[in-house]
Amino acid sequence: MIRNLQYNNGVPADSRFAAHSDFFKDTLKSLNEEEGLSKIRKVQQLTTLAETELGCSVTHLALAWVAKNPNTSTVILGASKPEQVVDNLKALDVIPKLTPEILDKIEAILQNKPAPTPTFGRPPLDAYGRV
């Protein structure tokens, strides 16, 4: 889904998708099918949330969301230009804005929260791996 964020309003001419359109033709085609259109609608809703409630881009929201996840050890930036790296680092300012209320709004849009990790009868661990 994150890869689709920058293509919310079409494929930019200077993008990797455009430069390698043959390689990505199935992906681009899928965005015009019902599942792809559903993903685009979700990204549009996330874009509105990011811009109106957090004052950031949807890209910054996505990177901050990944960084805030306690199961994430590394956030991989998909930048192909130096200015994209600099821009992506603005996501660090968004992390503190991801309150439980905002995370609930994101979940209401995506509706894809993973099931909790099984504890097999043991008490669940906190975000730091403690009982």
Side-chain angles (χ1 to χ4, degrees):
M1 176 73 82
I2 293 175
R3 176 170 45 177
N4 296 338
L5 297 176
Q6 70 187 66
Y7 306 114
N8 203 10
N9 296 313
V11 178
D14 66 342
S15 69
R16 283 177 279 185
F17 262 25
H20 305 283
S21 59
D22 261 2
F23 181 80
F24 292 114
K25 69 181 174 195
D26 291 337
T27 301
L28 291 170
K29 181 182 173 198
S30 75
L31 293 176
N32 291 314
E33 296 169 356
E34 187 49 42
E35 185 178 342
L37 293 171
S38 174
K39 288 179 182 180
I40 289 172
R41 283 189 294 273
K42 289 178 181 185
V43 171
Q44 289 168 337
Q45 291 175 315
L46 290 170
T47 300
T48 300
L49 175 78
E51 292 172 352
T52 60
E53 298 198 37
L54 301 172
C56 68
S57 73
V58 72
T59 302
H60 300 147
L61 170 58
L63 293 170
W65 182 85
V66 170
K68 183 153 178 101
N69 185 321
N71 297 312
T72 299
S73 64
T74 305
V75 177
I76 300 173
L77 306 178
S80 57
K81 301 173 186 168
E83 56 270 16
Q84 290 174 323
V85 174
V86 172
D87 183 64
N88 286 343
L89 293 176
K90 293 176 185 173
L92 295 172
D93 297 329
V94 180
I95 296 170
K97 298 178 182 180
L98 296 182
T99 63
E101 295 79 21
I102 291 292
L103 293 172
D104 286 344
K105 289 180 181 186
I106 293 169
E107 176 52 32
I109 292 169
L110 296 177
Q111 298 180 3
N112 67 351
K113 189 171 189 172
T117 305
T119 62
F120 304 103
R122 296 179 297 230
L125 302 178
D126 69 8
Y128 303 102
R130 302 175 299 203
V131 177

